[in-house]
Amino acid sequence: MDLDLTLSIAPFVTPFFRSAAMLALFLLMFLVAKYLKRFLTPYNLEHQLTGKDNLAQATSLAGYYIGFTAVFCGAYLGPSAGLLWDLLAVAGYTLLGMALLNLSRILNDRLVFRGFSMVTAIRDHHNVSAGVIQGANYVASGLVVAGAVHGEDGGVLTALVFYLVGQLALLLFSRLYERLTPYSIHREIGDGNLAAGLGFGGSMVAIGLVILASLNGDFVSWSYNLGWLGINLLGVFLYLFLVRCFFDRVVISHDDLNKEIAEDRNAGAGLLECTLAVSFATVLFFMIG
């Protein structure tokens, strides 16, 4: 009887222990991500969060943790090679992903948001729009990193190359978005326009979702994987701008979206633009993936 019981529960024991070990690893990696963020931030995070009640900082930090979670999940998903090897591989790729995630923040602050100081906007001015944008970029970059580290037959080199290509795509999209909107994204965000931050941040997360879907597979060859990524990115650039036009003409058909965001600073309009961009990108994610 005892032997029969043991045999009956055996198929459930190994997955349970694997899940428990991976959950413990996630908690450990979460602590590493926390202290790495604290080390790389040029001011006291806890003081901003609790002493200053800085909502902008909390919004940015929330995006950081979501981005980190995406990185961990990207490293975790895939076939098992044994519990010990899985733990080492997931931990290694998560640590690499954390480094790339924090590098993304530096690159984005200096290249995408070169018009103003993100640190000053968040720390000193409590600019929630800046916090939303930085948080959205953490999420978008986390999705890019998750796609870069996920899949078989690749390695550290392929992960780094796909990460760089994904970051370049985010940079190009931000420049296109800036050129195609009749108002200055940098000026609106610098002035604390939450509507502009929500709209732009949602579009960045949408791009990150499509990049994740494009990279969410096994490495076949450089030409195949990069070609597939390029085709999807060209399509989604056009697609998201068509979505924005659709939103302007259909969702708020009696008013102008750009006026609602730049002049009226209508955070509701910005939130709806954000939601629509992410929703359409989610549909694309499942179609591509």
Side-chain angles (χ1 to χ4, degrees), residues 230-252:
I231 291 171
N232 288 323
L233 286 176
L234 287 174
V236 79
F237 278 14
L238 176 62
Y239 181 69
L240 285 179
F241 287 114
L242 290 176
V243 167
R244 198 173 194 276
C245 292
F246 172 82
F247 177 81
D248 194 12
R249 298 292 184 270
V250 177
V251 180
I252 55 169

Side-chain angles (χ1 to χ4, degrees), residues 69-115:
T69 302
V71 170
F72 182 87
C73 291
Y76 167 76
L77 293 175
S80 175
L83 180 58
L84 180 58
W85 173 250
D86 289 350
L87 289 171
L88 292 174
V90 172
Y93 277 111
T94 300
L95 290 172
L96 173 63
M98 272 192 275
L100 296 178
L101 186 63
N102 284 279
L103 176 62
S104 299
R105 192 266 303 168
I106 298 172
L107 293 175
N108 289 328
D109 286 359
R110 294 184 178 179
L111 298 177
V112 178
F113 309 111
R114 63 198 182 282

Side-chain angles (χ1 to χ4, degrees), residues 5-90:
L5 178 61
T6 301
L7 292 176
S8 67
I9 66 173
F12 304 99
V13 172
T14 300
F16 172 80
F17 280 115
R18 184 178 189 276
S19 298
M22 285 297 176
L23 182 58
L25 178 62
F26 173 76
L27 295 176
L28 176 62
M29 292 293 101
F30 189 92
L31 290 175
V32 175
K34 172 188 174 180
Y35 287 108
L36 180 61
K37 174 66 175 173
R38 178 188 292 181
F39 175 76
L40 294 174
T41 302
Y43 50 87
N44 190 316
L45 274 176
E46 282 72 14
H47 180 64
Q48 289 294 319
L49 291 171
T50 57
K52 296 285 189 177
D53 297 337
N54 189 339
L55 179 60
Q57 184 63 70
T59 306
S60 170
L61 190 60
Y64 173 75
Y65 286 134
I66 293 173
F68 156 74
T69 302
V71 170
F72 182 87
C73 291
Y76 167 76
L77 293 175
S80 175
L83 180 58
L84 180 58
W85 173 250
D86 289 350
L87 289 171
L88 292 174
V90 172

Side-chain angles (χ1 to χ4, degrees), residues 57 74 126 164 174 201 220 260 285:
Q57 184 63 70
H126 295 198
L164 291 173
S174 68
V220 178
E260 288 294 316
F285 174 84

